[in-house]
Amino acid sequence: MPTIVVDVMPKAELLDPQGKAVTGALSRLGVDAFSAVRIGKRFELTVEGEVDDDVLATARRIADEILSNAVIEDVVAVEVVE
Amino acid sequence: MPTIVVDVMPKAELLDPQGKAVTGALSRLGVDAFSAVRIGKRFELTVEGEVDDDVLATARRIADEILSNAVIEDVVAVEVVE
């Protein structure tokens, strides 16, 4: 069954406390390859049947209106997989 | 600066209460295009400098050991973007 993946990340200008905590933990554990970590959400929407333009438009709409909070988050991708 | 994206999802055989809640909300809102929603995490790791095999191996290792909980989650992707 086709799946639509929606990626939502905290806005770049906002502090991401979860990400900051992981960045700190990595550095305490001796992992210094990464200068920053940001943590967002990945939604997998299972579609029954075909993914047509209507379904994709609906996915984009709910990504903006329901799955993300536009005040603090950006929808960075809405894409069909499989 | 290159970014490594790590996608982590709840294991398929586990109930995903957050996803179930969103599935129910969508159906109550009249959106019936999606039969299921699962919610996972997306990590963006910022790399200073080049992404070589070592950095990618480190990313895979922390994805398995630190960023995900192997009991309840699967790492579904580790990929370089930009």
Side-chain angles (χ1 to χ4, degrees), chain B:
Chain B
M1 255 171 320
T3 300
I4 296 178
V5 171
V6 175
D7 289 321
V8 173
M9 294 299 294
K11 277 185 193 289
E13 59 271 29
L14 292 185
L15 206 67
D16 168 19
Q18 268 195 96
K20 283 261 181 280
V22 171
T23 310
L26 289 179
S27 120
R28 282 192 301 279
L29 290 165
V31 178
D32 54 6
F34 311 108
S35 58
V37 179
R38 294 184 75 78
I39 307 181
K41 279 178 244 170
R42 176 188 158 97
F43 297 83
E44 290 185 356
L45 312 174
T46 306
V47 180
E48 298 286 340
E50 290 291 296
V51 178
D52 54 19
D53 288 352
D54 269 5
V55 172
L56 212 49
T58 305
R60 291 219 175 83
R61 187 173 58 79
I62 68 164
D64 288 334
E65 295 176 2
I66 299 172
L67 303 181
S68 68
N69 176 350
V71 178
I72 57 169
E73 293 169 326
D74 286 322
V75 176
V76 295
V78 177
E79 59 197 6
V80 183
V81 296
E82 280 147 66

Side-chain angles (χ1 to χ4, degrees), chain A residues 44-80:
Chain A
E44 290 186 356
L45 312 173
T46 305
V47 180
E48 297 287 340
E50 291 291 295
V51 178
D52 55 18
D53 287 352
D54 268 5
V55 171
L56 211 50
T58 304
R60 291 219 176 83
R61 187 171 59 80
I62 67 164
D64 287 335
E65 295 177 2
I66 299 171
L67 303 181
S68 69
N69 176 350
V71 177
I72 56 169
E73 292 169 326
D74 287 322
V75 176
V76 295
V78 178
E79 58 198 4
V80 184

